[in-house]
Amino acid sequence: MSGTPPRAAEGGLALSEPQLVAWGERLGRIATPPLVVALSGDLGAGKTTLVQAICRGYGVVDTVTSPTFALVHEYAGARSKVYHLDLYRLDAPSELTNLGWDEIVTDRALVIVEWPERAGAALPADHVPVTLEHVPADPARRLLWAGGHVGAQSFGGDDS
């Protein structure tokens, strides 16, 4: 189909920003701790926007910002703590120890990790992978891929 974004036919959802936000809020509402969400995507793909939506759906009332320099932000959610980690600045998985990684991923919490590939094998095997990609022909949309027990097919791509 000529209007289909690349790879969309393979199971990704092509979403506008409002649809991405609605998807994230729905994920936040159904998330049950302990849960680690591994959020991958290029710079500017919408990862922080998605994290903010997930946190809002999870009941976080504080302003959610990117932990690019602090590396870890902790928020109070309705059902548990929420840890938001940005591993972009890590050079090696061995640096996770300085962040309290083991305590964070074993806590009964919602853990959202941006740039999870920097964690290597330290990422829990039961994490939920979510990937955002730019849609080259449509800069206003993102292609979202989700796996694990919370998949893209669990949600519609619309705002309903």
Side-chain angles (χ1 to χ4, degrees), residues 67-74 81-107 111-120 122-123:
T68 301
F69 296 102
L71 302 182
V72 179
H73 286 170
E74 182 180 325
K81 289 185 252 180
V82 176
Y83 295 98
H84 177 201
L85 293 86
D86 184 331
L87 304 183
Y88 181 75
R89 294 179 41 220
L90 292 189
D91 292 322
S94 60
E95 295 177 21
L96 292 168
T97 303
N98 299 334
L99 302 178
W101 176 263
D102 291 337
E103 294 80 16
I104 290 171
V105 297
T106 58
D107 197 356
V111 180
I112 307 169
V113 182
E114 294 186 49
W115 301 97
E117 59 277 3
R118 308 276 174 129
L123 196 64

Side-chain angles (χ1 to χ4, degrees), residues 58-81:
Y58 197 72
V60 173
V61 295
D62 294 327
T63 301
V64 175
T65 60
S66 179
T68 301
F69 296 102
L71 302 182
V72 179
H73 286 170
E74 182 180 325
Y75 302 101
R79 295 179 294 277
S80 72
K81 289 185 252 180

